[in-house]
Amino acid sequence: MSNYYTDVPELKYHLNNPMMERICELKERGYRDKEEFDYAPQDYADAMDSYDKVLEITGEITADVIAANAESVDEEGPHCANGRVEYASGTKQNLDTMVKAGLNGMTMPRRFGGLNFPITPYTMCAEIVAAADAGFGNIWSLQDCIETLYEFGNEDQHSRFIPRICAGETMSMDLTEPDAGSDLQSVMLKATYDEANNCWRLNGVKRFITNGDADLHLVLARSEEGTHDGRGLSMFIYDKRDGGVNVRRIENKLGIHGSPTCELVYKNAKAELCGERKLGLIKYVMALMNGARLGIAAQSVGLSQAAYNEAFAYAKERKQFGKAIIEFPAVYDMLASIKAKLDAGRALLYQTARYVDIYKALDDIARERKLTPEERKEQKMYAKLADSFTPLAKGMNSEYANQNAYDCIQVHGGSGFMMEYACQRIYRDARITSIYEGTTQLQTVAAIRYVTNGAYASTLHDYELIPCSPEMGGLMERVKEMTRKFEACTNAVKAAQNQELQDFVARRLMEMAAVNIMSHLLIQDATRAPELFSKSAHVYVNYAEAEVEKHFNFIRKFQADELADYRK
Ligand SMILES: Cc1cc2nc3c(=O)[nH]c(=O)nc-3n(C[C@H](O)[C@H](O)[C@H](O)COP(=O)(O)OP(=O)(O)OC[C@H]3O[C@@H](n4cnc5c(N)ncnc54)[C@H](O)[C@@H]3O)c2cc1C
């Protein structure tokens, strides 16, 4: 690709969504920065133009530098010596280029050196970078940890730390420990207050930490002695300049080789509290992980785009039985399916990002002044939508990235299994997306409450009221019927009043909700831009309908006493 943004017209389409006007108005607070910063936008059109330009620059750097380095970074990987990480040489060049282009701390206010970007265009940049190198995408996009420091840190912490991230320093989020993975309530890394030096000290081990030798770390640690659950945990900021944390080793992994996954040893490391004690997991890490989950959804969409590009290019070139393999129905079925899941997953990703943007911008305004009753209502509505959509966007896109990478190799035949082709790297890199930042099973745990409390059903009913083009009318009727089946399953599971049964079918219910939501989003997209989305809307609704039918049949026929056949 010559430009990873302009070569994918679907991205510009999503940027130009009508909700962006409200997002810009809130984020730019009536465009007040124009008096102070000459690069701040004058109005909505100017703001949109600046996002477009930055995306174009990101797309160009991605093509010229990041994509060009991807294979060598995958082969070389980072090194660890004397407790410190050294990136692969291509990674260093990638980072340096991004920093020089001013693409760090993108969402931070201008007074700290940021670009004051909404989450939506920033997420697009993350998708673009990941399409070329998902491992580098991790290092670069960990900058979004700064959102959590901005949200919950104090003024003094803002002024000391945010400018450093905007200037190109990197971050990590240190949560996982050997005995605390999905269950972060079990975190035991110890935080004790050092009265003599008026600071906190961290002692213990973290493992699987991406970019673990970063300049600034957000660390989840146990500050309340004698506690064993999430209420005894607080969030800390560790600054590498203070020392006390060493990298014991870098993990040897299946994929994302450029991204150093570190085991960290904390020895009396000086740290400062971020926010209030005891709210570390309950409030701050939940917010941190929601942001990171959107990031992994973007990484997954980038990988799906890469899988589509590779599969499509190969299928056009490769000839068997006297014709290009793209002409065989079995092959174009795979290609259409990759594209439909890519378009559906991307629609869900950016719808989620827009919901996040509105509630976060209103949250930020609430720190300056009291919100009006209408604004409070708006904030609550979008916060709930964002919370319910985030596990779907992460869960579904990460599974789609894996399925699409698998099909990409299949389209390549035996060549797909060879290291010379990029599809093997995409396949290896995709595998982690459904594991980190909460496995798909944990996304289901987060999503199931919105199944049972009717939130997804209510959103689906709202979407049914959005007018669609006559061409999409037939699909809309089919999706309405799919929603009836989703509701019938939900009601049957609720009526059984059996928690184990509910947990057992939770993923099926979550997927039913998700494919129905994505079907609606594609119908809306195909109504606005049929030339881009009409095909995918048809292909995806065919697929989604079959998925719903499959789950409907399973849940309808399943008897609770059959659980015994599955239990070990
Ligand atoms: C390459 C890589 C990078 C990472 N980067 C970071 C990072 O930067 N920072 C960080 O803090 N962590 C990071 N992690 C850790 C990652 O988030 C965890 O590995 C992940 O959350 C899963 O935890 P676990 O590995 O302990 O698996 P486990 O929690 O042991 O899970 C094993 C299996 O049990 C299932 N399971 C567990 N609990 C439940 C439940 N309640 N319901 C249903 N199923 C359940 C899981 O879905 C999974 O299938 C990274 C991991 C890797 C591999």
Side-chain angles (χ1 to χ4, degrees):
M1 280 211 262
S2 61
N3 185 307
Y4 275 64
Y5 172 60
T6 53
D7 290 354
V8 182
E10 291 84 355
L11 280 168
K12 200 177 233 174
Y13 165 84
H14 283 294
L15 178 67
N16 288 327
N17 184 280
M19 274 175 76
M20 284 306 291
E21 186 153 8
R22 178 71 178 141
I23 292 169
C24 289
E25 184 183 295
L26 293 171
K27 187 81 188 168
E28 289 295 340
R29 311 276 212 284
Y31 303 94
R32 67 181 182 191
D33 271 9
K34 65 185 174 202
E35 315 299 338
E36 213 180 320
F37 302 92
D38 54 8
Y39 58 93
Q42 304 283 317
D43 51 29
Y44 173 55
D46 203 17
M48 291 297 281
D49 190 47
S50 79
Y51 307 151
D52 188 55
K53 285 210 169 74
V54 170
L55 279 158
E56 201 170 328
I57 293 167
T58 308
E60 192 181 312
I61 293 174
T62 301
D64 296 349
V65 183
I66 300 169
N69 283 331
E71 287 307 325
S72 75
V73 167
D74 183 56
E75 270 171 36
E76 185 188 336
H79 318 278
C80 179
N82 303 320
R84 302 274 67 89
V85 169
E86 196 180 330
Y87 295 132
S89 44
T91 306
K92 286 186 214 162
Q93 194 199 1
N94 294 346
L95 257 184
D96 191 48
T97 314
M98 294 298 265
V99 172
K100 283 193 179 126
L103 299 173
N104 282 62
M106 284 176 86
T107 59
M108 289 295 103
R110 294 185 183 86
R111 67 181 185 280
F112 297 121
L115 295 177
N116 201 42
F117 255 45
I119 304 283
T120 304
Y122 162 70
T123 304
M124 288 182 178
C125 292
E127 181 204 313
I128 288 168
V129 170
D133 182 347
F136 177 68
N138 275 351
I139 299 172
W140 180 74
S141 59
L142 269 162
Q143 62 172 283
D144 57 23
C145 293
I146 200 65
E147 280 281 332
T148 304
L149 196 151
Y150 176 64
E151 228 170 291
F152 304 112
N154 58 36
E155 284 281 314
D156 174 51
Q157 289 169 333
H158 289 172
S159 61
R160 282 184 292 125
F161 297 126
I162 300 176
R164 286 173 51 188
I165 301 308
C166 296
E169 292 192 27
T170 61
M171 295 194 78
S172 67
M173 46 190 280
D174 307 1
L175 316 175
T176 304
E177 297 176 8
D179 293 322
S182 299
D183 178 16
L184 287 174
Q185 299 210 58
S186 310
V187 156
M188 288 312 286
L189 189 113
K190 203 169 171 189
T192 37
Y193 196 69
D194 174 354
E195 298 283 351
N197 294 292
N198 202 21
C199 69
W200 287 85
R201 298 280 174 192
L202 303 180
N203 283 285
V205 175
K206 292 277 181 193
R207 76 160 179 178
F208 294 169
I209 306 305
T210 301
N211 202 32
D213 197 25
D215 301 289
L216 292 178
H217 300 222
L218 294 181
V219 190
L220 185 64
R222 190 160 295 281
S223 54
E224 314 306 312
E225 217 178 334
T227 59
H228 296 279
D229 64 13
R231 288 166 298 182
L233 300 172
S234 303
M235 192 170 77
F236 295 88
I237 304 167
Y238 163 73
D239 183 347
K240 187 165 131 185
R241 292 179 188 176
D242 292 326
V245 179
N246 278 327
V247 180
R248 184 145 65 191
R249 66 196 199 103
I250 299 182
E251 305 293 343
N252 193 6
K253 309 190 294 292
L254 175 70
I256 53 164
H257 285 170
S259 168
T261 307
C262 306
E263 184 166 309
L264 302 179
V265 181
Y266 288 71
K267 266 199 196 135
N268 245 4
K270 184 179 164 199
E272 54 187 275
L273 189 66
C274 184
E276 287 176 42
R277 271 169 85 155
K278 301 189 211 172
L279 294 182
L281 180 63
I282 301 162
K283 190 167 177 188
Y284 312 139
V285 167
M286 283 302 156
L288 181 67
M289 294 217 309
N290 268 339
R293 285 172 179 177
L294 201 64
I296 305 304
Q299 183 179 52
S300 305
V301 173
L303 281 159
S304 285
Q305 178 72 55
Y308 179 68
N309 296 345
E310 294 297 323
F312 184 65
Y314 188 83
K316 273 196 313 186
E317 288 298 312
R318 173 72 176 163
K319 290 198 172 58
Q320 284 294 280
F321 300 97
K323 54 184 176 181
I325 60 168
I326 198 168
E327 291 178 36
F328 294 111
V331 174
Y332 64 65
D333 180 24
M334 282 191 275
L335 288 168
S337 153
I338 299 176
K339 181 68 163 67
K341 288 175 186 167
L342 164 63
D343 285 338
R346 185 181 271 137
L348 178 60
L349 168 66
Y350 293 115
Q351 187 76 339
T352 310
R354 290 186 284 267
Y355 291 158
V356 172
D357 257 326
I358 295 200
Y359 96 81
K360 281 212 169 194
L362 284 163
D363 265 3
D364 201 30
I365 291 172
R367 279 178 217 118
E368 281 179 13
R369 64 160 170 85
K370 211 166 165 242
L371 296 181
T372 64
E374 294 75 38
E375 286 172 334
R376 265 208 307 280
K377 208 169 133 205
E378 190 183 11
Q379 194 276 350
K380 236 176 124 185
M381 179 178 95
Y382 283 109
K384 194 172 148 204
L385 280 166
D387 218 44
S388 64
F389 270 46
T390 299
L392 300 187
K394 198 280 183 181
M396 297 306 290
N397 274 305
S398 61
E399 295 292 336
Y400 284 172
N402 277 283
Q403 294 165 19
N404 292 337
Y406 177 97
D407 279 348
C408 176
I409 289 195
Q410 198 65 19
V411 168
H412 282 70
S415 301
F417 200 60
M418 301 299 137
M419 297 306 275
E420 295 91 294
Y421 286 86
C423 54
Q424 52 77 23
R425 179 167 51 85
I426 295 165
Y427 183 75
R428 289 185 289 107
D429 287 356
R431 191 61 194 88
I432 188 60
T433 59
S434 59
I435 296 173
Y436 58 13
E437 288 316 329
T439 61
T440 303
Q441 289 69 31
L442 268 285
Q443 303 308 314
T444 305
V445 170
I448 194 65
R449 84 185 78 121
Y450 300 108
V451 172
T452 54
N453 75 8
Y456 293 135
S458 153
T459 302
L460 285 163
H461 290 305
D462 288 347
Y463 285 175
E464 285 171 7
L465 301 176
I466 299 174
C468 68
S469 64
E471 196 217 328
M472 289 292 121
L475 294 186
M476 175 69 108
E477 290 310 311
R478 284 164 65 186
V479 181
K480 283 182 186 168
E481 182 51 30
M482 286 149 61
T483 295
R484 300 294 92 78
K485 290 192 167 160
F486 162 60
E487 289 183 287
C489 287
T490 307
N491 291 337
V493 172
K494 279 168 72 178
Q497 295 193 321
N498 178 338
Q499 189 60 45
E500 187 182 355
L501 176 71
Q502 184 180 304
D503 292 348
F504 186 74
V505 296
R507 179 155 173 199
R508 292 169 195 277
L509 290 170
M510 179 252 231
E511 285 186 6
M512 286 172 103
V515 298
N516 287 349
I517 287 171
M518 284 186 272
S519 295
H520 270 294
L521 294 175
L522 272 185
I523 289 170
Q524 291 165 25
D525 292 342
T527 295
R528 286 180 57 214
E531 68 291 358
L532 285 180
F533 298 108
S534 176
K535 279 186 173 180
S536 279
H538 284 277
V539 174
Y540 191 77
V541 173
N542 282 342
Y543 161 81
E545 195 174 46
E547 287 293 292
V548 167
E549 203 59 36
K550 174 179 85 181
H551 294 323
F552 179 70
N553 282 332
F554 185 96
I555 294 172
R556 202 178 42 157
K557 292 181 185 158
F558 193 82
Q559 300 293 322
D561 56 14
E562 288 180 77
L563 286 169
D565 301 332
Y566 289 81
R567 270 187 228 120
K568 280 282 156 239

